[in-house]
Amino acid sequence: MNGVFITIEGVEGCGKTTQLRYLSRHLTEMGHPVETTREPGGTPVAEAVRALLLDPAHTAMTPTTELLLYEAARAQHVSERIRPALEAGRIVLCDRFVDSTTAYQGGGRGMTWETLNRLHAIATEGLWPDLTILLDVAAEEGLQRVQGARSRDRIEGEPLAFHERVRQGFLRIASEEPERVRVVEGHLPVERVRERVTALVEEFLRSHEF
Ligand code: Z5A
């Protein structure tokens, strides 16, 4: 594959969307071809699955149904959008990807990592991020940031302990794959986070001669 696949991860309100916007603008100004997308979503089919997943009315959704829907949305997204963009030599910036499933459905809901990895392999057909930025903030701080900004979706409505387990899930992934997953302290002011994220991405692109 000619392009570079970069994902941004973290708990609710960690600042992913803010940083992705900055990074996209910065890389575009540097002359790189950039494609920005998100999960769940990124294509019409996957966005329809997103609406189903986040709808607070679906209180009856089982953890297995939830997991399969996230992976179904991902299969469509990878095949229709991410893989073609990478084959065309673009930098793909994705707001959440497989690590969110591992952290939320694994850390949060208690699905086994073995099950999750088997499903990731099917949904992505082996496509894995080249670099992942994990914006680490305490779950409580993240939730406070988004409180009141909009109505709560089905996952946001989970108790604080759920979101803390999710955070621990992300940190576990980072400790298992330190080369791919780079942790940035998300509680710092936006500008400091931006500098750190930009430096990590530029260093990665340089070292891969992109
Ligand atoms: N989910 C899952 O369970 N399994 C999966 O496989 C996948 C996802 C892929 C998607 O929700 C939900 O699906 C998500 C996980 C689950 N649910 N939860 N919880 P989403 O896409 O709608 O929401 P989100 O991904 O959690 O992101 P968000 O709410 O949009 O937050 P964010 O992107 O991390 O943060 P932000 O929008 O950039 O910033 C939030 C606020 O904080 C905003 O007012 C900013 O101005 C402020 N902010 C940002 N940075 C800072 C700093 N550094 N200091 C202070 N304030 C800041």
Side-chain angles (χ1 to χ4, degrees):
M1 216 97 57
N2 301 325
V4 177
F5 185 23
I6 299 173
T7 59
I8 306 199
E9 298 275 9
V11 296
E12 179 75 9
C14 66
K16 296 175 288 78
T17 311
T18 304
Q19 295 300 329
L20 201 99
R21 213 176 300 126
Y22 284 136
L23 189 57
S24 172
R25 196 182 313 141
H26 179 70
L27 294 176
T28 302
E29 281 168 6
M30 285 175 74
H32 292 296
V34 177
E35 178 110 3
T36 303
T37 186
R38 69 170 180 181
E39 288 214 345
T43 74
V45 169
E47 289 289 336
V49 178
R50 176 190 176 93
L52 199 61
L53 274 163
L54 299 185
D55 187 340
H58 294 317
T59 50
M61 191 180 292
T62 72
T64 304
T65 305
E66 178 183 275
L67 169 63
L68 292 173
L69 286 174
Y70 277 114
E71 297 287 10
R74 177 163 304 129
Q76 186 68 31
H77 190 206
V78 167
S79 153
E80 188 180 337
R81 181 124 183 241
I82 300 177
R83 200 180 285 279
L86 292 172
E87 281 169 357
R90 301 175 77 79
I91 297 178
V92 175
L93 300 178
C94 190
D95 190 334
R96 298 195 181 280
F97 194 61
V98 285
D99 299 318
S100 279
T101 314
T102 305
Y104 280 86
Q105 281 63 54
R109 301 267 190 242
M111 311 293 286
T112 71
W113 285 41
E114 192 201 346
T115 302
L116 295 167
N117 284 330
R118 280 216 309 271
L119 289 174
H120 293 340
I122 294 169
T124 66
E125 294 183 346
L127 181 74
W128 214 244
D130 297 304
L131 172 70
T132 296
I133 306 288
L134 171 57
L135 300 182
D136 181 46
V137 298
E140 195 170 9
E141 182 176 344
L143 287 172
Q144 272 167 6
R145 284 182 189 172
V146 297
Q147 231 165 30
R150 54 167 193 239
S151 58
R152 298 173 109 197
D153 66 37
R154 201 176 53 82
I155 309 275
E156 282 163 28
E158 291 291 337
L160 180 61
F162 171 91
H163 293 281
E164 260 310 326
R165 289 200 302 278
V166 170
R167 182 192 185 192
Q168 294 311 319
F170 278 124
L171 290 172
R172 176 176 161 189
I173 299 166
S175 72
E176 289 183 358
E177 288 186 74
E179 276 301 303
R180 172 177 70 89
V181 183
R182 311 301 300 270
V183 183
V184 172
E185 291 175 76
H187 64 85
L188 296 173
V190 175
E191 193 54 25
R192 294 281 307 284
V193 178
R194 189 185 67 76
E195 286 165 9
R196 184 85 186 104
V197 169
T198 307
L200 280 171
V201 171
E202 284 186 353
E203 179 195 316
F204 179 88
L205 294 177
R206 246 194 326 274
S207 67
H208 288 74
E209 293 175 3
F210 194 85

